[in-house]
Amino acid sequence: MPLEAGATLPVRTFRVTRADLIRYAGASGDFNPIHWSDRIAAKVGLPGVIAHGMLTMALVGRAVTGWAGDPAAVVEYGVRFTKPVVVPDDDQGTEIEVSAVVKDVTEDGLARLEITATCQGEKVLAQARAMVRPRPVGKV
């Protein structure tokens, strides 16, 4: 998809369940109990079990690579975590919605994206930005 300054990119939605947290813990080696135990999460003052920050960032990164058309097109990507993604203990889990606006396109074709990620209507990331070099239309 061509990325032009001012363009609003299609919203991407990612469902996160407790099963996803277990799989991510196994893949990452991060078995911190705040990602699986309601009791521990409450004990440390969290509103419930929360998704791994890096999992949230990875899902948003998936949206970015989708918009860019190629993972290799992502030149820069960064976020700040502002609110945890609480994942209920049910079959539905929760959803992270990711949207972006193309702020500008540089002379050499880099598109600067400002990204918004929300869960339950609240922003979970701040200063979420990416620079991408989208693949020209018709090129593989």
Side-chain angles (χ1 to χ4, degrees):
M1 137 185 326
L3 300 178
E4 299 174 356
T8 300
L9 302 178
V11 174
R12 299 282 315 267
T13 302
F14 300 96
R15 181 164 301 283
V16 180
T17 66
R18 292 278 179 101
D20 295 320
L21 301 184
I22 293 166
R23 285 189 284 274
Y24 187 82
S28 69
D30 181 353
F31 294 99
N32 187 322
I34 64 172
H35 302 303
W36 54 267
S37 170
D38 286 303
R39 182 178 52 80
I40 299 297
K43 188 175 182 178
V44 298
L46 293 168
V49 164
I50 62 170
H52 301 75
M54 291 296 109
L55 173 58
T56 301
M57 188 175 179
L59 293 172
V60 174
R62 243 171 84 190
V64 172
T65 61
W67 294 320
D70 179 2
V74 179
V75 175
E76 184 178 306
Y77 171 54
V79 305
R80 296 232 175 149
F81 302 102
T82 56
K83 187 166 182 65
V85 173
V86 178
V87 182
D89 188 11
D90 60 22
D91 294 334
Q92 300 305 309
T94 194
E95 288 184 337
I96 299 170
E97 285 193 352
V98 185
S99 60
V101 173
V102 180
K103 292 311 282 182
D104 60 16
V105 178
T106 65
E107 287 183 23
D108 61 345
L110 288 175
R112 184 182 330 273
L113 308 181
E114 283 204 4
I115 305 160
T116 301
T118 61
C119 182
Q120 303 295 316
E122 297 196 49
K123 287 176 95 171
V124 295
L125 299 177
Q127 299 179 20
R129 300 182 181 112
M131 291 287 286
V132 299
R133 184 179 309 283
R135 166 176 76 207
V137 178
K139 299 279 185 178
V140 178

